[in-house]
Amino acid sequence: MMIDLMQNTFLTMFDGSPEKALRAVLIVMGVYVLTAAPLVTWVVYGLFQKDPNAKQQLVTESPPVPKQTAANADQVLQLIKSRRSVFPKDFTGKLVDRETIEQLLEAANWAPTHGKTEPWRWVVLSEDGLQDMIQVTDQVMLSTLSEADYTKKKKKMESKAALYIRATFIAICSKRQANPDKLQPEWEEMAATSCAVQNMWLQGTALGLAGYWSSWQGESVCNSPQMKKFLGLGQEDSCLGFYILGNSTADVMLSYRSKRGSMADKVAWL
């Protein structure tokens, strides 16, 4: 109907010539297709677009689980078997950059957690932070140990001071109640935190980094009120030591040997 109306209008404009009128109609319709139609399409598309923040919201969601194959399953097992405790004496002194540390902590963040409480907490110490932590350690040992034991431990710690600055210390902490609505058994929260350490360690192994889980002068120091305060923990929370991270050479890391007893000797089938 619109075409007929346009054609009658153009017949009048072109002295009744049907050919000229039809040509004009086709030209007008062509201009519409090339200009107005894309605009309409863009508007309709915009109406059905997802929230622009949707991509950002998905960042913390779990990625889809890839289909496992025998090849990559063997690679995972080999990675687990190649993890080693490499001590600071064998670090090169080149510190691990923050971006890489965050990659390790992201791996740690996907540890299993009963009730999804995610109890693990980390405190990454700078060079100044490390010195402050050593000072807190010294104060705790001075107030809790005999003079002989304090002198012995202090001397040992001072002998390793030069090694410590070649590494990054990450405090391994576990919240007693990370979720105010859920109180899980304490051993479960510590187990989840330990799994997070393993995740971090394996990620570091995959990146060729050296690492070592230190109990750091024992529970009396790590879980002292002074250390908890320094780390920003509540008195009901726990410090499970420090993950000491650094770089080493491939040859040195390969020199670290390890073995395990038979798996079968540790399994019962009922």
Side-chain angles (χ1 to χ4, degrees), residues 17-154:
S17 172
E19 293 80 10
K20 291 181 179 181
L22 180 59
R23 190 179 299 116
V25 169
L26 294 175
I27 290 173
V28 171
M29 293 186 67
V31 171
Y32 169 79
V33 170
L34 293 174
T35 58
L39 179 61
V40 171
T41 303
W42 180 81
V43 171
V44 173
Y45 177 76
L47 292 175
F48 289 95
Q49 272 287 73
K50 293 181 179 180
D51 180 358
N53 295 322
K55 184 177 180 181
Q56 183 67 27
Q57 293 169 354
L58 291 176
V59 170
T60 57
E61 292 185 5
S62 173
V65 179
K67 182 178 180 181
Q68 297 299 317
T69 65
N72 58 32
D74 287 343
Q75 290 171 357
V76 170
L77 181 58
Q78 186 56 42
L79 176 66
I80 293 171
K81 289 183 175 182
S82 64
R83 182 204 58 76
R84 295 289 183 273
S85 293
V86 180
F87 302 108
K89 68 181 181 63
D90 289 318
F91 290 5
T92 63
K94 179 183 177 182
L95 297 179
V96 179
D97 61 86
R98 177 168 178 161
E99 183 179 357
T100 303
I101 293 174
E102 289 178 342
Q103 188 179 147
L104 268 63
L105 296 177
E106 178 65 19
N109 200 43
W110 287 96
T113 165
H114 187 197
K116 294 183 173 58
T117 57
E118 304 176 33
W120 47 83
R121 296 294 185 271
W122 319 100
V123 181
V124 184
L125 301 182
S126 63
E127 186 174 343
D128 289 341
L130 174 59
Q131 296 307 315
D132 291 340
M133 188 274 286
I134 291 174
Q135 187 175 5
V136 171
T137 300
D138 184 72
Q139 293 170 353
V140 174
M141 292 194 305
L142 182 61
S143 63
T144 58
L145 299 177
S146 67
E147 183 177 352
D149 287 342
Y150 169 74
T151 302
K152 181 179 178 181
K153 288 206 169 191
K154 183 176 177 63

Side-chain angles (χ1 to χ4, degrees), residues 2 17 45 69 77 79 145 169 176 203 209 225 235 246-247:
M2 180 178 289
S17 172
Y45 177 76
T69 65
L77 181 58
L79 176 66
L145 299 177
F169 277 58
R176 179 63 192 93
Q203 184 69 20
L209 299 174
Q235 289 305 309
N247 282 286

Side-chain angles (χ1 to χ4, degrees), residues 168-221:
T168 298
F169 277 58
I170 304 175
I172 303 166
C173 307
S174 181
K175 295 290 289 182
R176 179 63 192 93
Q177 188 168 4
N179 185 332
D181 298 325
K182 293 181 180 179
L183 179 62
Q184 302 294 109
E186 187 174 18
W187 73 267
E188 291 187 358
E189 303 297 62
M190 289 187 174
T193 302
S194 298
C195 288
V197 175
Q198 175 78 338
N199 278 13
M200 175 168 59
W201 210 331
L202 290 176
Q203 184 69 20
T205 301
L207 294 172
L209 299 174
Y212 167 58
W213 186 349
S214 169
S215 58
W216 190 252
Q217 312 303 329
E219 185 177 3
S220 61
V221 171

